[in-house]
Amino acid sequence: MSDFINTIHESEMAAEIRKLARKFSQTELALHIEQDEHDEKFRPELIARLGSLGLTGVPVAEEFGGGALGYQEYIAVIEELAAVNAGYAISVAVTGLAQNAIQTYGSEAQKKKYIPRLAMGNGIGAFGLSEASSGSDAASLRTQAVKKGKNYIINGTKLWISQADIAEVIILMARTGGPGGKGVSAFIVEKSMKGFGLGKREKKMGLHTSHTMELVLEDLEVPEENLLGKEGDGFKVAIQALDSGRITIGATALGVARAALEVAIKQSKTREQFGQKISSFQGISFMLADMATSLEASRLLVQRAAWLKDQKAPFSLASAMAKLFSTDMAMKVTTDAVQVLGGSGYTQEFPVERYMREAKVLQIVEGTNQIQRMIIGRELTQ
Ligand code: COS
């Protein structure tokens, strides 16, 4: 098949980075994935290895251990990881959310203390926003932070927090003021801080290498110097980090869909029915054509959002569109890949059923696709 990557105008640097990430993904990462998905096992050492290749802090400034490149290069890494396993793409993307929040709102001391380990793959980051009663309505969160002497004392429960079990740094949103977004503050929490606790681990439909945790915070003591930004900045810290994060979720969708399409094309050229390869039937080839076309359209949207961010131009609308379109595309493409493979597609003999399960969560995380439509609709009509 043709390589869809060649159809876009990627910078030389992005192409180099992609090559490196692809080699790592298809060799070192691929080696473990089928078994680890089954065992629900994540290997932080693979993130450290990715770090040693310079692929964990691609858009982070050099002085903080990053690659000083842009999102156009960063999304190439995410896509290549996702084409092998979405769990590792999400891991890098979520650590990226934490890096992004600290880089944008942190003091120099916070940046120096926390970013380098994350950027170099020596530490993993997490993002603690959602709660049982505040998912889409993030500004209604209930976790409370009360200032006592030189500490904030935080109490509450966070839900659906990716890789909180292995993260050493968590960007945590808690309420320091009145209701609504203006009453929320952001904190840099270390898992070693007194009062930090893990609750249940979710049993999920897919994305098994990436653990999804509950956080139970009982009189968690966070030093005042770990307030990120000012009191009341927390909602904006979260929303701005998510604006960037949504580009990486879009890139994850590209990787998952591409992998599914590749399997579907290969199998359609192997499987014979009625005395011919099923690829020769228009019913199959039209499906493949639609899958490839929608993947290509998504790629352009994700690329454009990344480019706008790299230009320091407004990109919230573009990232919402990229996330919405590409994750809906991934759901459709992976579902169609299962259909092309027929009965085999529904079994674990082929990875397309896994890709379909991975695609589903991308329509939900970092703002459901209904929230993306709301953001786009507001932008069009306000
Ligand atoms: N960048 C910067 N500031 C933003 C912003 C953005 N993209 N979007 C909103 N804001 C600001 C607004 O300007 C407003 O500021 P002022 O109070 O100073 O006017 C403030 O944030 C509140 O904005 P808004 O009134 O739009 O907030 P809403 O409560 O209506 O919520 C949505 C907005 C729905 C977009 C937000 O809650 C959201 O993104 N929800 C999904 C959360 C999510 O992604 N969860 C997943 C968690 S990680 S898996």
Side-chain angles (χ1 to χ4, degrees):
M1 67 172 281
S2 63
D3 187 340
F4 299 107
I5 309 299
N6 290 333
T7 64
I8 55 156
H9 301 286
E10 205 165 44
S11 71
E12 250 174 62
M13 181 56 85
E16 269 310 300
I17 294 276
R18 180 185 294 282
K19 216 160 95 188
L20 201 57
R22 185 180 286 196
K23 186 164 173 229
F24 166 82
S25 302
Q26 294 185 351
T27 54
E28 294 174 60
L29 179 59
L31 199 61
H32 304 287
I33 287 312
E34 293 311 327
Q35 192 59 42
D36 286 358
E37 270 290 316
H38 180 266
D39 299 343
E40 307 202 345
K41 180 174 176 173
F42 186 83
R43 296 173 191 262
E45 65 271 22
L46 285 176
I47 298 296
R49 169 78 182 123
L50 203 57
S52 73
L53 295 171
L55 298 177
T56 42
V58 171
V60 173
E62 213 165 357
E63 58 176 313
F64 302 120
L69 296 167
Y71 265 58
Q72 291 170 94
E73 288 79 22
Y74 184 30
I75 58 173
V77 176
I78 301 277
E79 180 186 333
E80 293 304 325
L81 291 171
V84 173
N85 184 251
Y88 283 82
I90 294 288
S91 173
V92 172
V94 169
T95 297
L97 268 186
Q99 287 168 347
N100 183 297
I102 301 172
Q103 188 151 297
T104 311
Y105 279 90
S107 63
E108 277 312 297
Q110 288 172 336
K111 289 182 195 174
K112 278 201 187 102
K113 181 169 180 189
Y114 291 108
I115 296 181
R117 281 184 57 76
L118 301 182
M120 291 190 284
N122 298 323
I124 282 172
F127 194 74
L129 176 63
S130 301
E131 298 175 8
S133 59
S134 59
S136 294
D137 183 8
S140 70
L141 64 85
R142 291 180 183 171
T143 293
Q144 283 285 343
V146 177
K147 184 89 187 279
K148 262 200 191 149
K150 290 196 167 312
N151 285 335
Y152 284 90
I153 307 298
I154 303 184
N155 280 285
T157 304
K158 295 281 174 185
L159 215 52
W160 310 303
I161 311 304
S162 296
Q163 60 189 358
D165 54 341
I166 48 170
E168 56 179 48
V169 177
I170 297 163
I171 306 301
L172 187 94
M173 270 49 74
R175 189 164 302 285
T176 48
K182 288 193 168 60
V184 175
S185 298
F187 299 90
I188 306 175
V189 170
E190 293 176 32
K191 73 168 179 207
S192 55
M193 288 172 176
K194 196 170 160 221
F196 180 87
L198 292 172
K200 64 175 172 175
R201 193 170 106 198
E202 301 294 345
K203 292 188 188 345
K204 305 196 302 281
M205 174 191 279
L207 214 70
H208 295 311
T209 54
S210 170
H211 297 171
T212 305
M213 304 301 302
E214 180 183 42
L215 290 187
V216 181
L217 313 171
E218 285 173 344
D219 291 332
L220 169 68
E221 288 177 22
V222 180
E224 62 183 356
E225 62 268 22
N226 280 39
L227 177 69
L228 184 57
K230 300 190 299 297
E231 269 196 26
D233 280 350
F235 187 69
K236 286 189 186 174
V237 171
I239 293 293
Q240 283 187 2
L242 286 168
D243 275 345
S244 301
R246 287 166 187 158
I247 304 176
T248 65
I249 299 300
T252 305
L254 298 181
V256 172
R258 191 186 93 207
L261 177 59
E262 283 172 359
V263 176
I265 292 173
K266 187 165 171 239
Q267 285 311 114
S268 75
K269 294 198 295 190
T270 310
R271 171 99 174 143
E272 288 188 10
Q273 287 293 278
F274 305 103
Q276 39 189 319
K277 307 266 187 267
I278 63 167
S279 58
S280 66
F281 296 118
Q282 207 173 54
I284 298 292
S285 71
F286 277 19
M287 271 173 89
L288 297 173
D290 286 344
M291 290 156 80
T293 306
S294 58
L295 170 59
E296 197 62 359
S298 301
R299 181 180 302 291
L300 294 174
L301 280 177
V302 175
Q303 281 273 317
R304 180 165 170 276
W307 179 81
L308 285 170
K309 180 167 169 61
D310 288 345
Q311 303 310 305
K312 303 196 182 341
F315 66 93
S316 304
L317 176 64
S319 75
M321 286 178 169
K323 195 270 180 187
L324 165 64
F325 195 84
S326 59
T327 60
D328 278 355
M329 174 280 299
M331 192 70 245
K332 173 92 171 78
V333 165
T334 55
T335 306
D336 286 350
V338 170
Q339 191 70 19
V340 169
L341 268 72
S344 304
Y346 199 66
T347 71
Q348 292 181 2
E349 195 186 333
F350 289 91
V352 286
E353 59 83 31
R354 167 164 72 82
Y355 300 146
M356 189 175 163
R357 291 184 282 108
E358 289 175 343
K360 184 61 227 174
V361 80
L362 303 178
Q363 294 179 302
I364 298 169
V365 294
E366 301 206 8
T368 64
N369 284 3
Q370 286 67 31
I371 288 294
Q372 307 312 319
R373 288 183 172 90
M374 195 172 114
I375 292 169
I376 298 162
R378 277 187 188 180
E379 187 89 16
L380 296 176
T381 54
Q382 75 189 1

